Amino acid sequence: MQVKKNPKADLNRSSGLFFQIGLTLVLFVTWRALEYKSYQMDDEIVQMISVQDDLKEQVPITETIKTPPPPPPPSAPEVIEIVEDEAEIQETIIESSEINQETVIETAIAVDDVEVGEEEEEVSVPFAVIENVPVYPGCENLASNTEKRTCFQQKMQEHIKKNFKYPATAMELGIQGRVHVQFKIDNKGYITNIRMRGPDTALEQEASRIIAALPQMIPGRQRGRNVAVPYSIPINFKLQ
């Protein structure tokens, strides 16, 4: 049987190629549609400041104070009279008080007339080794040095207990501890050079006040002369 149609006019011959091309175009369009992004356009805001052109500044009205001119200086006299000074002036001659090598000193002081004062040096002897210990008031009638030493220590304890007063600030804060006090009984029996070392300033001040209240004593003696005697004692501050 003879085919009547032209083989070149057969559409089914290239249908597969056309299908692949169409499918590729569809996929490409779909991909671009999915990847498409749009951005929102913001309206540009323009701010303007209106300034008034005709600004009028109010200037305060001031008043000029007119001061009168100063008076003219007094005019010089037309005729100047010259007065002769008839008083005689006696010149005073001031002699120089400076001396040089040629100056002779008329009065001399003899060496024997010059008195040289001896400066008394304060000697300190420890309380433990001094020959005669300082005597606390009330211990004068004791004979031996050992008894006076014991009496001195007892009087010191009695004085501390009698004048002891716990500082209020340290009591509120619960501060307690031992304060070591060092002082000196000078060659006249007075209390000097008080030094303290303790856990708190309030306790140190109270210990200094107690020691400063000690009475004047009979000074200690070493080899027949009054000497200063250093002494140290601990004061225990304890809350019960």
Side-chain angles (χ1 to χ4, degrees):
M1 182 177 181
Q2 186 178 359
V3 181
K4 295 180 180 180
K5 294 183 180 180
N6 191 359
K8 295 182 180 180
D10 188 5
L11 298 177
N12 293 327
R13 186 180 60 178
S14 301
S15 61
L17 178 61
F18 295 151
F19 176 77
Q20 292 180 1
I21 294 174
L23 181 60
T24 304
L25 292 175
V26 171
L27 291 175
F28 177 77
V29 173
T30 305
W31 172 72
R32 291 303 301 170
L34 293 175
E35 293 292 332
Y36 177 76
K37 294 181 180 180
S38 61
Y39 298 94
Q40 183 178 0
M41 300 297 293
D42 295 335
D43 297 335
E44 185 177 359
I45 300 174
V46 180
Q47 295 182 358
M48 299 181 62
I49 301 174
S50 60
V51 180
Q52 188 176 359
D53 296 335
D54 53 345
L55 294 177
K56 295 182 180 180
E57 184 179 359
Q58 295 181 359
V59 180
I61 300 173
T62 57
E63 181 180 357
T64 304
I65 301 175
K66 297 181 180 180
T67 57
S75 58
E78 298 179 355
V79 180
I80 301 175
E81 297 180 359
I82 301 175
V83 180
E84 295 182 357
D85 190 3
E86 298 179 355
E88 296 182 357
I89 301 174
Q90 296 181 357
E91 297 182 357
T92 303
I93 301 174
I94 302 174
E95 297 181 357
S96 176
S97 60
E98 297 181 357
I99 60 175
N100 50 27
Q101 295 180 353
E102 298 178 357
T103 305
V104 179
I105 301 176
E106 298 179 357
T107 59
I109 301 174
V111 178
D112 298 336
D113 297 338
V114 179
E115 296 182 359
V116 179
E118 296 182 359
E119 184 178 356
E120 186 177 355
E121 183 180 359
E122 186 179 7
V123 180
S124 297
V125 181
F127 186 84
V129 298
I130 192 170
E131 294 177 355
N132 297 322
V133 297
V135 180
Y136 198 99
C139 303
E140 300 89 346
N141 298 327
L142 299 178
S144 65
N145 194 38
T146 305
E147 292 177 351
K148 292 179 180 179
R149 190 189 304 271
T150 305
C151 181
F152 178 90
Q153 295 175 352
Q154 291 177 355
K155 293 290 186 180
M156 284 289 299
Q157 296 292 337
E158 293 176 0
H159 172 80
I160 293 173
K161 291 179 181 179
K162 180 180 179 181
N163 295 273
F164 181 83
K165 185 178 180 181
Y166 212 102
T169 55
M171 186 180 297
E172 292 176 359
L173 298 175
I175 300 174
Q176 57 184 354
R178 178 175 296 181
V179 179
H180 296 272
V181 186
Q182 294 181 355
F183 61 94
K184 185 181 292 186
I185 305 170
D186 63 4
N187 54 7
K188 296 182 181 179
Y190 293 103
I191 306 299
T192 60
N193 298 338
I194 302 175
R195 294 182 296 175
M196 304 81 58
R197 186 181 62 184
D200 186 71
T201 306
L203 302 183
E204 292 178 352
Q205 292 178 355
E206 177 60 20
S208 176
R209 185 192 65 82
I210 295 173
I211 298 302
L214 286 169
Q216 183 182 4
M217 307 178 190
I218 299 175
R221 295 179 65 82
Q222 183 76 10
R223 297 181 182 180
R225 59 180 295 188
N226 295 347
V227 294
V229 180
Y231 191 82
S232 61
I233 185 173
I235 300 177
N236 194 17
F237 291 82
K238 187 175 181 181
L239 294 172
Q240 296 181 356

